[in-house]
Amino acid sequence: MTIPTTASGNRGLQLEQGLIFEQNTPGMSGVDLPAVPKVADRLGDMKSTKNIGLPGMSEPDVVRHYTRLSQKNYSIDSGFYPLGSCTMKHNPRLNEKMARLPGFADIHPFQPVSTIQGALELIDTCAHWLKTLTGMTAVAMSPAAGAHGELCGLMCIKSAHEANGQGHRKTILVPESAHGTNPATAALCGYAVESIPANAEGRVDVAALRAHLRPEIAAVMITNPNTCGLFERDCIAIAEAVHEAGAYFYMDGANYNAIVARLRIADLGVDAMHINLHKTFSTPHGGGGPGAGPTVLSAKLAPFAPVPMVIKVGEGFDVEEHAGHGTATQSYGRMKGYHGQFGVFVRAVSYMMAMGGDGLKQASGDAVLNANYLLARLSEELTPAFEGPCMHEAVFDDRFLKGTGVTTLDIAKALIDEGVHPPTMYFPLVVHGALLMEPTETESKATLDGFIASLLHLARKAKSGTAEAEFKAAPMLSPRRRLDETKAARKPILRWLPSSDSNGTRQAAE
Ligand SMILES: *Cc1c(COP(=O)(O)O)cnc(C)c1O
């Protein structure tokens, strides 16, 4: 099959269009503004001397330009998005409706506390659910994302060590399979990071962990379920060993969707864990935000939690703003302005209340069922990285591509031609040529079957030994073909300059 080149550069109804500055018709305007009245010039030499260079366009051209840009953004609302570790699930529209209620959307954090009692009650309700689900003593609501919640947990741990004369503990243990944010957070917090290996099963090697524990260790950070999509079965033994060594047990709870309403985190001996509300409790989070990363804390760490804290006073609520008062007796201070990502709290409470405890339990069960369905069906042609069932995500290695000349990247690019957003690739790093897929509970069997059919077809085609060139050319049907992603990341071109012929035509970009 050869893809025809078109005179317009368009592919079907996917229209090719230059940047807005390349569509400039000097002097054209979509609005008819009155002439600027003459005023005395008070700007002196700050006065601009040349045109500011806004492109001249009509209103319909502006509307089309931005509508087309919005359509280039693949999202969970456009189709299946099996990106592992990201929990890209459907976000119920009810949550959006609640977040837009004027009583929630049109208030300001500087309003007198007496006028925002409902908002404070909502934050308290969200905190109550998180504490009830996890069994933990306290929750810091202000962290603005998962990584920010990790920072919050480690700041509490650091403060606790310092308060207990253990400030010399300067190292944090992180498993090889950890999400990149774990070592990054530890480093940002001033800690040295030491890696602990995984065993052949893809879980933390407890013996190796024990061997690393010593008086310099401040904490251990473990993701559960881990990034190999597996439940860390030895958490209780890990917690005991860590506590015996005088360190704290931090759990990365970004994958909480797989276990919510099925176990109490407190029962595993965890001291701190962030919860990605935008993942588990459903807020749209493609493209980097907004999110919220409340951090649940054990009784030992609760006094060090950041301010502000919403507290119950009589029948109403108040905001504790300063360290050393009320519950925040040894608070390490403030992480950000105001009370946290309020709009995300509204969505989370709306989601939790609509689902109920039984609904949340069904969601985690269905998320795990869907992932195991992928694991079982895809094992027909692909090679699972680990033996046995998985939790909420299925991970395959690239043994099934051995000798074919086709790589994990080629499969991912060919999936774009199939109309599927590629899964996470080459992560976790401990799996060679990894394909990590998280279907979530909100995908139907029909959607999963379509995805499975595409992937099995590609695997068979790769194994046929005759399609290597075709794979290397993929994607063929998308507006842009294979890009040099390393170059794009390392040497991004961030500034548009008019081309020398500057007649508005776009240079071929392939
Ligand atoms: C998503 C994720 C994070 C980071 O969360 P952000 O909200 O993106 O900062 C941390 N750990 C794991 C395992 C994750 O999946």
Side-chain angles (χ1 to χ4, degrees):
M1 178 176 62
T2 49
I3 309 297
T5 46
T6 55
S8 56
N10 298 335
R11 286 176 180 241
L13 296 179
Q14 290 183 315
L15 305 188
E16 194 56 41
Q17 194 182 48
L19 300 175
I20 198 163
F21 292 99
E22 293 167 312
Q23 296 171 55
N24 178 22
T25 304
M28 182 179 281
S29 172
V31 285
D32 190 5
L33 295 172
V36 182
K38 277 256 171 278
V39 287
D41 179 6
R42 298 194 204 95
L43 290 173
D45 61 2
M46 301 294 284
K47 193 177 169 192
S48 67
T49 51
K50 51 181 196 276
N51 204 317
I52 60 171
L54 286 178
M57 290 177 88
S58 70
E59 180 172 314
D61 284 341
V62 172
V63 169
R64 283 187 178 160
H65 180 72
Y66 285 105
T67 303
R68 281 176 199 161
L69 284 184
S70 76
Q71 289 167 344
K72 289 193 196 305
N73 201 5
Y74 190 85
S75 70
I76 189 65
D77 290 344
S78 359
F80 185 39
Y81 207 141
L83 212 54
S85 214
C86 295
T87 314
M88 303 304 286
K89 62 184 185 180
H90 170 70
N91 302 290
R93 291 302 182 267
L94 176 65
N95 305 350
E96 297 305 315
K97 199 169 169 184
M98 294 301 116
R100 284 162 178 71
L101 288 175
F104 289 142
D106 297 344
I107 51 175
H108 192 279
F110 281 162
Q111 271 179 238
V113 160
S114 64
T115 66
I116 50 166
Q117 285 292 306
L120 297 181
E121 182 175 355
L122 182 126
I123 297 176
D124 188 67
T125 305
C126 192
H128 170 77
W129 274 80
L130 297 177
K131 285 186 287 185
T132 305
L133 288 165
T134 58
M136 300 288 276
T137 305
V139 57
M141 295 297 287
S142 61
H148 207 210
E150 291 171 30
L151 186 62
C152 169
L154 291 199
M155 302 272 276
C156 290
I157 288 170
K158 195 174 200 178
S159 309
H161 277 316
E162 281 166 5
N164 298 328
Q166 296 288 309
H168 57 275
R169 292 177 178 265
K170 294 273 188 241
T171 301
I172 294 207
L173 300 180
V174 179
E176 285 175 340
S177 63
H179 194 267
T181 50
N182 292 188
T185 300
L188 187 69
C189 220
Y191 287 108
V193 178
E194 231 170 76
S195 177
I196 40 177
N199 59 23
E201 274 189 330
R203 295 184 170 86
V204 172
D205 186 331
V206 183
L209 174 93
R210 280 211 178 90
H212 278 79
L213 285 170
R214 43 186 208 284
E216 299 91 88
I217 304 300
V220 175
M221 295 180 90
I222 288 178
T223 306
N224 197 17
N226 69 23
T227 47
C228 298
L230 302 172
F231 189 75
E232 293 285 0
R233 294 196 205 104
D234 296 319
C235 272
I236 293 174
I238 291 172
E240 277 167 12
V242 167
H243 290 151
E244 207 169 289
Y248 289 100
F249 184 9
Y250 186 90
M251 188 176 281
D252 179 329
N255 294 334
Y256 192 51
N257 199 48
I259 51 175
V260 61
R262 291 194 176 253
L263 62 79
R264 286 162 23 108
I265 296 303
D267 297 340
L268 301 179
V270 170
D271 293 301
M273 179 183 91
H274 72 270
I275 297 172
N276 294 47
L277 291 188
H278 44 297
K279 292 180 182 171
T280 306
F281 298 107
S282 121
T283 276
H285 61 279
T295 304
V296 289
L297 300 165
S298 65
K300 281 185 286 180
L301 294 182
F304 303 96
V307 286
M309 277 282 197
V310 172
I311 46 170
K312 200 151 184 14
V313 179
E315 287 303 296
F317 295 89
D318 202 356
V319 182
E320 205 176 314
E321 296 271 10
H322 300 285
H325 296 266
T327 59
T329 47
Q330 289 166 277
S331 171
Y332 67 75
R334 192 176 273 271
M335 292 202 84
K336 72 188 286 297
Y338 312 133
H339 316 305
Q341 304 279 60
F342 184 70
V344 181
F345 300 159
V346 180
R347 290 172 177 85
V349 169
S350 163
Y351 179 76
M352 290 168 178
M353 293 184 104
M355 297 288 277
D358 58 335
L360 293 177
K361 190 171 176 190
Q362 187 183 339
S364 53
D366 289 350
V368 173
L369 180 66
N370 273 356
N372 279 283
Y373 182 63
L374 287 189
L375 182 67
R377 291 277 322 273
L378 291 172
S379 293
E380 202 180 302
E381 296 290 347
L382 279 66
T383 39
F386 303 102
E387 262 179 42
C390 59
M391 292 294 287
H392 60 307
E393 40 195 10
V395 56
F396 297 88
D397 58 27
D398 59 0
R399 278 174 300 154
F400 75 104
L401 295 172
K402 203 163 184 235
T404 62
V406 176
T407 64
T408 298
L409 179 70
D410 300 333
I411 294 279
K413 296 297 179 191
L415 270 173
I416 296 175
D417 282 339
E418 290 281 333
V420 181
H421 191 285
T424 295
M425 308 176 285
Y426 300 103
F427 179 83
L429 300 175
V430 292
V431 174
H432 198 269
L435 275 169
L436 175 70
M437 27 193 111
E438 180 180 6
T440 82
E441 72 281 6
T442 60
E443 295 303 335
S444 66
K445 181 166 177 297
T447 299
L448 298 186
D449 284 340
F451 173 65
I452 290 164
S454 290
L455 208 42
L456 290 180
H457 162 74
L458 293 177
R460 288 190 194 110
K461 193 154 112 180
K463 289 179 191 180
S464 74
T466 57
E468 189 184 338
E470 205 183 306
F471 270 104
K472 297 291 172 206
M476 295 207 274
L477 302 175
S478 57
R480 289 292 172 278
R481 304 287 299 278
R482 183 91 57 119
L483 304 175
D484 185 343
E485 283 146 347
T486 312
K487 191 172 168 200
R490 298 263 160 87
K491 293 197 172 134
I493 300 169
L494 300 174
R495 192 164 163 226
W496 176 82
L497 293 170
S499 60
S500 50
D501 63 327
S502 79
N503 60 7
T505 46
R506 190 175 168 73
Q507 309 297 319
E510 285 181 317

